[in-house]
């Protein structure tokens, strides 16, 4: 039992060290090609403007949970995208839009949030209307908090970018052999796959909210990109209309 406890604690320390030292600018170990590429930043808006009208709230702002360079990498064809919705004075409509590099909309949906604030772990649906993300192509995603449906000029908007990459065989094998979800988080973090590390850890946190080790890892991961202001916020469940 003592040996098992030691291994668990040791792994937690190791995973935290990976989170603290990882770089999300370029997934060096994730790409099938070993060619180095320069750090890249893209235009985006991580934090929304002040609240207004129906969206009035005395605390919190709409936030896109993306790295500071606004680009998150993923290995998944249908990845998860995370954002924080602030409390609102009443339930409010939220719009999510995904665009390709030519600014063509490839997916969009709306849903209603309650007046409560919290983190949304949004999963792109596997449907005939949404093709899988193309490898090495960038997609721009937008979240709009609709403060006045009659005047969309008052929307509060954040947006970020996501890019799917092809994994090398070594990392693919490690992920296949790793049965621990937290172990996969550490591998994603080491490889620079922000979207997958964040989404996997968010899922663990939402299902095990009282696990102190997960809470520490979640905070440290957010802190790597100065997003830890929302580390203590709850996770929200939302109902997304069915896609064809």
């Amino acid at each position: 039992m003592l040996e098992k406890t030691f291994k668990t604690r040791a792994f937690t320390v190791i995973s935290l060290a990976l989170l603290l030292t990882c770089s999300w600018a370029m997934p060096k170990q994730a790409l099938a090609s070993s060619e180095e590429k320069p750090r890249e930043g893209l235009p985006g808006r991580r934090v929304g403007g002040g609240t207004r009208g129906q969206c009035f709230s005395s605390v919190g702002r709409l936030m896109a949970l993306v790295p500071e360079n606004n680009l998150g990498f993923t290995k998944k064809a249908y990845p998860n995208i995370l954002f924080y919705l602030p409390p609102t004075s009443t339930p409010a409509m939220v719009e999510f839009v995904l665009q390709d590099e030519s600014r063509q909309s490839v997916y969009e949906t709306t849903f209603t949030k309650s007046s409560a604030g919290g983190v949304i772990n949004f999963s792109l649906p596997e449907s005939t209307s949404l093709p899988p993300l193309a490898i090495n192509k960038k997609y721009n995603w937008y979240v709009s908090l609709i403060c006045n449906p009659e005047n969309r000029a008052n929307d509060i908007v954040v947006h970020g970018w996501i890019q799917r990459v092809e994994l090398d065989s070594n990392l693919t094998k490690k992920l296949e052999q790793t049965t621990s979800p937290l172990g996969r988080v550490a591998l994603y973090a080491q490889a620079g796959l922000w979207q997958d590390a964040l989404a996997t850890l968010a899922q663990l946190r939402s299902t095990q909210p009282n696990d102190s080790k997960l809470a520490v890892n979640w905070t440290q991961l957010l802190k790597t990109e100065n997003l830890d202001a929302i580390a203590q916020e709850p996770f929200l469940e939302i109902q997304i209309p069915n896609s064809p």
Side-chain angles (χ1 to χ4, degrees):
M1 178 63 71
L2 180 61
E3 181 181 2
K4 182 177 180 181
T5 301
F6 173 78
K7 287 182 178 179
T8 300
R9 290 177 178 172
F11 178 75
T12 301
V13 172
I14 291 171
S15 63
L16 278 174
L18 288 174
L19 296 180
L20 287 169
T21 59
C22 62
S23 171
W24 309 108
M26 187 63 205
K28 297 178 182 178
Q29 299 180 32
L31 293 178
S33 169
S34 60
E35 182 181 355
E36 292 285 340
K37 295 184 180 180
R39 182 179 181 90
E40 181 178 14
L42 292 168
R45 178 189 288 270
R46 296 208 307 171
V47 181
T51 56
R52 58 181 75 92
Q54 183 181 351
C55 300
F56 175 77
S57 173
S58 59
V59 293
R61 287 190 174 186
L62 180 65
M63 292 180 65
L65 301 188
V66 293
E68 290 187 310
N69 69 347
N70 299 310
L71 174 62
F73 291 96
T74 180
K75 76 176 187 68
K76 298 182 178 181
Y78 293 92
N80 285 43
I81 293 172
L82 287 88
F83 45 92
Y84 168 73
L85 296 176
T88 48
S89 55
T90 62
M93 293 293 294
V94 179
E95 180 182 60
F96 177 90
V97 176
L98 181 70
Q99 295 180 345
D100 61 20
E101 290 180 329
S102 61
R103 300 187 63 83
Q104 295 298 309
S105 177
V106 295
Y107 175 76
E108 55 185 79
T109 190
T110 58
F111 60 90
T112 301
K113 72 172 291 293
S114 68
S115 57
V119 176
I120 302 294
N121 190 356
F122 182 84
S123 179
L124 289 178
E126 297 186 34
S127 69
T128 56
S129 61
L130 175 60
L133 298 192
I135 292 175
N136 294 330
K137 298 294 184 181
K138 298 179 181 67
Y139 294 81
N140 199 188
W141 58 270
Y142 294 80
V143 173
S144 301
L145 189 54
I146 303 173
C147 304
N148 181 358
E150 303 301 321
N151 183 4
R152 295 294 302 274
N154 289 328
D155 286 5
I156 299 173
V157 182
V158 294
H159 66 104
W161 295 78
I162 188 169
Q163 180 178 339
R164 182 185 175 194
V165 295
E166 185 176 7
L167 303 187
D168 63 27
S169 58
N170 184 47
L171 180 57
T172 299
K173 184 176 181 180
K174 286 182 179 179
L175 287 168
E176 290 174 348
Q177 294 175 341
T178 302
T179 58
S180 163
L182 196 55
R184 286 193 290 274
V185 171
L187 288 173
Y188 290 145
Q190 189 177 31
L193 297 174
W194 167 264
Q195 296 295 150
D196 303 331
L198 188 71
T200 304
L201 193 50
Q203 179 62 29
L204 292 172
R205 280 283 290 139
S206 64
T207 57
Q208 304 173 61
N210 297 320
D211 189 310
S212 59
K213 293 190 296 293
L214 290 177
V216 170
N217 277 269
W218 174 247
T219 300
Q220 294 293 348
L221 177 58
L222 292 172
K223 188 176 290 186
T224 64
E225 293 298 326
N226 294 317
L227 294 167
D228 50 305
I230 57 91
Q232 304 305 316
E233 296 294 334
F235 290 85
L236 298 181
E237 296 292 332
I238 55 174
Q239 294 293 326
I240 302 296
N242 292 330
S243 300

